[in-house]
């Protein structure tokens, strides 16, 4: 089907690419930059410049003829789409050919003759002044600067003035802008990034940003998403990025996008201009590029109807009106999947005849609120049980039993809360609570609430209690704080002290003191047990207690105990200067690389970043022997023992446990459930099998699409 689509597009190129007369006029000299005096709502129009008349472009270029391209990180998918459409490359071939250097570097590379054509966001003011005197550019799409917070933050929208107060340092607490009484941790991007240029232009508008500590200045778009999503920054962190990246390339259910001045960012509000921080992105070439060169032909084609259609089909907002850039009917691949129930279904109805049920990635939106969601549920034969209304879906595992956790944000008079539904893997039972909290300890892709007791902390609106893996309540919902049972005990906080209770609620250990700095900051540290020990603070020293309450201190425990347990039972411990050791059952060995995950058979995944080239991954065993190396991208362990592989272009595929490729990187997201995968590919989401064949396929119609 993908090959058929490519051939149809080639035919359309043959018929229409000779007519580039619909393209926008190009501009020369400096494009719009992040000048503080610039208008925040839109970019200045390009300055017309005489150009030769359009020249018919061939249906395909050979790889040798194809111009060298560079650009911004968020334009990587568009660069790959160009290779597929105009050079006949497969998705994997296009991925290997596209390696963009980022906004500032791309502009310098074009000026210096190191590349021929850019797909790029506008530069910061200094980069523009240094690079753009001999370049020609034209807008081909629109994006927007968006602000992201942790999904549990109660704030859903801010005004431009409130954002300015946060980033000038005037507002230091979320209570200052309508949120909870929590310190604001405001992350920034590096000064030359495209995101920072948009921040200075649209938001700060000449105001000086507060100085940010080095740990609050993030160098990459992915890094910004990760620090805001991190659980340690829950309800504290805020950052900014571009809409396409966080909605299409790196969606994360642990974050949410804030509305600005009452408008939620979406492709629709970006196209209409209702969202305030909209900005064009560009195709650019050198002014001296000859009339018939491949670079100039593609430059002109991207501004015409067919080029704009390519922009639109890949999830961007095209400059040309949507009706002109819409995919013709013959290009629609069609949806797959019948409904189990008629009409919209926003909850999982338990029944005994579904068979195994699976989450599918479906986009979708609540018809009442318009809020975007990610996952719905379906049967193995492709029947849709629920619409895609759950932004958070997890598989919780204890010993040999697994259950689903389905969560969605609900608004009430006191803000937002996370409604939590627990369900059997076959949908035969489901129970819903006001909220829940689990220990997000991830072992090979499985989330384990408690390796010993298997209890889950829940709140019914009256207090906190616990349920087991059959949905039965084992501790009444009466506690003031979450009951995280680990090693058979849960922590109960009482002012500046805490103690431990067993399943019956009886106090068994404590009380113990909480360090004064944590009390002052309002941050509650984790004192949960794990593998028989819990961190403990006594007489200004960190130590550990065992399950009998015996306390131990040594020089190595002057800070809270470090190290993370890997899926194969080895514990990874950071030593210094990027060096790690692995320890298990009293045996300690040095790791040749930083181990990112444990694999069966005492093998380990590792990641190796090479400057100006990208990330690579490999595998070593406990003896230090390198089994596999220099694989582009990043790999992570899946629950089955298979590997998820993320390419340097942020596309995902699957390898088996013997390191053979099962599904090449082609999906924007991928999540393994049994022998199926919830995925998103372009404007479609759904569920695929081990061959990558669709079981359920749905057109995404939420904030990621029009």
């Amino acid at each position: 089907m993908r090959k058929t689509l490519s051939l149809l597009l080639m035919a359309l190129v043959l018929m229409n690419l000779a007519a580039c007369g619909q393209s926008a006029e190009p501009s020369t000299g400096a494009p719009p930059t992040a000048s503080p005096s610039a208008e925040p709502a839109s970019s200045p129009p390009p300055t017309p410049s005489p150009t030769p008349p359009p020249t018919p472009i061939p249906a395909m270029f050979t790889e040798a003829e194809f111009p060298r391209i560079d650009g911004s990180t968020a334009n990587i998918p568009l660069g790959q789409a160009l290779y597929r459409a105009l050079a006949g490359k497969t998705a994997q071939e296009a991925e290997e050919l596209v390696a963009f250097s980022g906004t500032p570097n791309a502009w310098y590379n074009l000026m210096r003759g190191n590349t021929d054509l850019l797909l790029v966001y506008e530069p910061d003011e200094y980069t523009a002044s240094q690079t753009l005197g001999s370049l020609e550019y034209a807008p081909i799409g629109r994006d927007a600067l968006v602000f992201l917070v942790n999904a549990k933050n109660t704030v859903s929208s801010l005004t431009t003035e409130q954002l300015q107060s946060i980033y000038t340092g005037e507002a230091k607490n979320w209570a200052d802008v309508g949120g909870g009484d929590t310190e604001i941790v405001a992350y920034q991007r590096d000064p030359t990034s495209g995101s920072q240029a948009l921040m200075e232009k649209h938001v700060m508008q000449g105001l000086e940003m507060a100085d940010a500590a080095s740990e609050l200045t993030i160098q990459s778009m992915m890094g910004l998403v990760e620090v805001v999503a991190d659980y340690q920054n829950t309800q504290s962190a805020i950052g900014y990025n571009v809409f396409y990246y966080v909605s299409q390339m790196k969606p994360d259910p642990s974050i949410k996008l804030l509305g600005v001045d009452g408008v939620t960012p979406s492709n629709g509000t970006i196209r209409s201009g209702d969202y305030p921080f909209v900005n064009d992105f560009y195709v650019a070439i050198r002014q001296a590029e000859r009339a018939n060169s491949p670079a100039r032909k593609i430059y002109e084609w991207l501004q015409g109807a067919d080029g704009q259609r390519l922009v639109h089909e890949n999830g961007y907002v095209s400059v040309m009106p949507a009706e002109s850039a819409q995919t013709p009917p013959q290009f629609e691949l069609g949806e797959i999947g019948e409904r189990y129930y008629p009409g919209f279904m926003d909850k999982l109805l338990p029944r005994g005849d579904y068979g195994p049920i699976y989450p599918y990635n479906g986009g979708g939106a609540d018809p009442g609120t318009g809020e975007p969601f990610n996952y719905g549920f379906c049967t193995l034969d492709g029947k849709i049980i629920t619409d895609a209304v759950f932004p958070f879906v997890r598989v919780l595992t204890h010993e040999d039993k697994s259950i689903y956790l389905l969560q969605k944000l609900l608004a009430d008079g006191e803000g937002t809360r996370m409604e939590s539904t627990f369900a059997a893997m076959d949908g035969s039972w489901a129970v819903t609570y006001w909220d829940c909290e689990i220990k997000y300890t991830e072992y090979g892709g499985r989330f384990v609430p408690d390796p010993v007791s298997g209890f889950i902390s829940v709140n019914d609106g009256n207090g906190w209690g616990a349920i087991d893996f059959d949905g039965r309540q084992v501790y009444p919902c009466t506690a003031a704080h979450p009951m995280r049972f680990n090693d058979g005990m849960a922590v109960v906080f009482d002012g500046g002290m805490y103690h431990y209770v067993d399943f019956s609620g009886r106090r068994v250990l404590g009380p113990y003191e909480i360090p004064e700095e944590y009390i002052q900051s309002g941050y509650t540290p984790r004192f949960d047990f794990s593998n028989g020990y819990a961190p403990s603070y006594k007489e200004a020293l960190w130590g550990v207690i065992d399950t009998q309450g015996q306390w131990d201190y040594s020089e190595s425990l002057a800070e809270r105990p470090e190290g993370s347990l890997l899926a194969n039972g080895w514990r990874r411990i950071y030593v210094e200067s990027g060096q790690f050791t692995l320890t298990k059952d009293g045996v300690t060995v040095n790791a040749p690389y930083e181990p990112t995950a444990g694999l069966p058979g005492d093998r380990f995944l590792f990641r190796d970043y090479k400057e100006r080239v990208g990330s690579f991954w490999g595998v070593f065993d406990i003896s230090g022997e390198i089994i596999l190396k220099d694989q582009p991208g990043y790999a992570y362990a899946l629950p089955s023992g298979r590997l998820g592989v993320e390419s340097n272009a942020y596309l995902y595929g699957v390898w088996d446990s013997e390191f053979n490729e099962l599904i090449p990187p082609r999906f924007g997201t991928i999540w393994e459930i049994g022998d199926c995968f919830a995925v998103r590919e372009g404007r479609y989401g759904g569920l695929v099998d081990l061959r990558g064949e669709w079981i359920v396929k749905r057109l995404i119609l939420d904030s990621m699409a029009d």
Side-chain angles (χ1 to χ4, degrees):
M1 185 65 73
R2 291 172 60 84
K3 185 176 291 184
T4 301
L5 176 61
S6 178
L7 291 174
L8 285 170
L9 185 55
M10 292 306 106
L12 188 66
V13 170
L14 276 169
M15 292 185 289
N16 295 329
L17 287 185
C20 294
Q22 298 182 50
S23 63
E25 289 291 332
S27 55
T28 59
T33 63
S35 170
S37 61
E39 291 294 325
S42 62
S43 301
T47 303
S49 175
T51 58
T55 303
I57 189 169
M60 292 182 67
F61 294 102
T62 66
E63 185 176 331
E65 294 169 335
F66 205 88
R68 298 169 299 170
I69 62 175
D70 198 354
S72 302
T73 301
N75 290 133
I76 287 174
L78 185 57
Q80 295 172 347
L82 273 182
Y83 265 106
R84 295 195 301 270
L86 300 182
K89 296 298 182 181
T90 65
Q92 185 171 0
E93 290 169 339
E95 176 200 331
E96 294 170 353
L97 289 166
V98 175
F100 284 2
S101 62
T103 301
N105 290 333
W107 286 109
Y108 279 105
N109 284 340
L110 184 61
M111 178 200 68
R112 294 166 178 164
N114 296 329
T115 192
D116 302 314
L117 181 139
L118 301 184
L119 306 172
V120 68
Y121 286 62
E122 73 178 53
D124 65 279
E125 192 169 7
Y126 178 77
T127 299
S129 69
Q130 297 295 304
T131 64
L132 303 180
S134 61
L135 303 182
E136 188 174 323
Y137 73 95
I140 56 171
R142 295 193 176 102
D143 205 341
L145 184 76
V146 294
F147 288 84
L148 45 150
V149 296
N150 190 278
K152 290 191 175 182
N153 194 314
T154 58
V155 173
S156 296
S157 183
L158 295 172
T159 65
T160 299
E161 291 73 19
Q162 287 174 323
L163 290 168
Q164 290 172 339
S165 70
I166 288 173
Y167 277 96
T168 57
E170 178 183 350
K172 300 181 182 298
N173 192 293
W174 281 104
D176 298 334
V177 291
D181 184 13
T182 308
E183 178 189 5
I184 296 175
V185 180
Y187 287 96
Q188 301 183 20
R189 287 296 313 280
D190 61 284
T192 61
S193 70
S195 300
Q196 191 66 19
L198 298 181
M199 177 68 176
E200 295 282 2
K201 172 182 177 179
H202 290 299
V203 181
M204 303 312 295
Q205 303 177 46
L207 297 175
E208 185 175 350
M209 294 185 72
D211 292 334
S214 58
E215 64 269 20
L216 296 181
T217 303
I218 308 302
Q219 299 299 311
S220 70
M221 302 174 84
M222 178 172 65
L224 195 287
V225 173
E226 290 176 344
V227 295
V228 174
D230 191 291
Y231 77 91
Q232 290 182 337
N233 294 316
T234 297
Q235 302 185 47
S236 296
I238 183 173
Y240 45 88
N241 216 316
V242 295
F243 177 74
Y244 185 86
Y245 184 83
V246 296
S247 64
Q248 293 274 27
M249 296 176 67
K250 205 68 178 176
D252 190 322
S254 299
I255 65 170
K256 68 176 178 181
L257 303 185
L258 294 178
V260 178
D261 296 334
V263 181
T264 301
S266 70
N267 275 17
T269 58
I270 291 171
R271 183 181 298 283
S272 68
D274 292 337
Y275 182 77
F277 304 147
V278 174
N279 212 86
D280 291 342
F281 60 85
Y282 301 88
V283 58
I285 56 175
R286 287 181 291 277
Q287 291 178 12
E289 195 68 59
R290 69 186 190 278
N292 293 321
S293 70
R296 184 169 290 281
K297 291 176 180 178
I298 294 177
Y299 174 82
E300 294 168 352
W301 181 77
L302 278 168
Q303 299 168 64
D306 298 324
Q308 287 291 284
R309 183 172 298 122
L310 188 73
V311 171
H312 178 82
E313 286 174 350
N314 283 275
Y316 298 91
V317 176
S318 56
V319 171
M320 190 172 286
E323 57 271 18
S324 302
Q326 285 285 353
T327 303
Q330 64 266 30
F331 284 166
E332 293 290 358
L333 300 183
E335 297 185 329
I336 300 172
E338 300 176 355
R339 286 187 172 273
Y340 209 99
Y341 301 100
F344 184 83
M345 181 59 66
D346 65 351
K347 64 182 66 176
L348 177 61
L349 299 179
R351 53 188 292 167
D353 58 353
Y354 291 135
I357 64 173
Y358 297 86
Y360 67 89
N361 191 324
D366 186 303
T369 67
E371 287 292 318
F373 297 97
N374 287 335
Y375 293 101
F377 277 81
C378 65
T379 61
L380 188 57
D381 59 358
K383 289 185 178 179
I384 294 170
I385 301 170
T386 79
D387 286 272
V389 297
F390 301 105
F392 299 89
V393 176
R394 296 286 186 267
V395 176
L396 308 182
T397 300
H398 172 62
E399 296 177 348
D400 60 350
K401 182 174 287 189
S402 295
I403 61 175
Y404 284 119
L405 166 61
L406 296 60
Q407 295 179 294
K408 59 181 177 180
L409 287 166
L410 297 178
D412 57 29
E414 299 179 357
T416 58
R417 61 182 176 86
M418 189 73 74
E419 182 183 80
S420 303
T421 296
F422 300 88
M425 300 294 284
D426 62 0
S428 59
W429 61 263
V431 293
T432 299
Y433 284 87
W434 177 278
D435 201 354
C436 80
E437 181 165 326
I438 65 173
K439 180 184 178 185
Y440 274 76
T441 303
E442 186 174 359
Y443 294 91
R446 288 186 172 93
F447 290 83
V448 185
D450 180 354
V452 177
S453 69
F455 290 173
I456 303 164
S457 185
V458 295
N459 188 321
D460 66 357
N462 298 310
W464 288 93
I467 62 172
D468 64 15
F469 266 57
D470 291 311
R472 294 186 296 253
Q473 193 169 96
V474 295
Y475 192 94
C477 292
T478 56
H481 295 276
M483 307 296 293
R484 294 188 295 266
F485 281 95
N486 292 279
D487 289 354
M489 290 178 284
V491 180
V492 175
F493 292 96
D494 183 14
M497 308 293 286
Y498 67 96
H499 61 270
Y500 296 89
V501 298
D502 62 15
F503 302 141
S504 68
R506 180 175 61 91
R507 180 183 297 195
V508 290
L509 294 176
Y512 302 101
E513 65 176 308
I514 300 174
E516 182 65 26
E517 61 265 28
Y518 289 114
I519 297 175
Q520 294 297 326
S521 69
Y523 171 71
T524 303
R526 287 290 181 94
F527 292 105
D528 303 297
F529 272 88
S530 178
N531 297 320
Y533 294 93
S536 181
Y537 186 77
K538 180 179 180 180
E539 298 175 356
L541 296 173
W542 279 104
V544 294
I545 56 172
D546 62 20
T547 55
Q548 303 303 310
Q550 297 297 311
W551 192 82
D552 181 48
Y553 166 80
S554 68
E555 291 295 333
S556 63
L557 294 175
E559 299 294 335
R560 295 190 69 184
E562 295 187 10
S564 55
L565 186 65
L566 303 178
N568 56 6
W570 288 86
R571 184 170 290 275
R572 178 188 65 185
I573 299 175
Y574 177 78
V575 182
E576 60 181 357
S577 303
Q579 300 299 308
F580 290 80
T581 61
L582 292 161
T583 180
K584 179 181 178 182
D585 299 332
V587 177
T588 300
V589 297
N590 294 322
Y593 292 92
E594 176 186 355
T596 57
L599 301 175
D602 290 340
R603 298 181 294 184
F604 304 88
L605 283 171
F606 69 86
R607 187 175 188 177
D608 183 20
Y609 181 78
K610 300 182 179 181
E611 189 69 28
R612 306 186 73 84
V613 177
S615 292
F616 294 83
W617 64 274
V619 179
F620 67 88
D621 64 20
I622 197 60
S623 70
E625 180 181 352
I626 306 299
I627 299 172
L628 191 69
K629 68 178 301 185
D630 291 338
Q631 301 298 314
Y634 175 74
Y636 52 96
L638 298 175
S640 64
R642 292 184 282 259
L643 304 181
V645 175
E646 178 185 0
S647 73
N648 282 319
Y650 309 108
L651 293 175
Y652 294 84
V654 179
W655 290 38
D656 66 21
S657 59
E658 297 304 317
F659 316 125
N660 301 303
E661 187 177 74
L662 295 176
I663 302 174
R666 54 178 266 221
F667 296 112
T669 59
I670 192 165
W671 175 31
E672 181 189 64
I673 313 98
D675 287 337
C676 299
F677 303 90
V679 299
R680 196 183 78 239
E681 183 177 29
R683 296 175 67 82
Y684 288 90
L687 188 75
V688 299
D689 61 20
L690 275 173
R691 300 168 297 171
E693 299 291 334
W694 293 98
I695 298 172
V696 164
K697 181 180 181 183
R698 310 300 290 172
L699 184 64
I700 294 175
L701 297 173
D702 61 5
S703 64
M704 295 180 287
D706 291 320

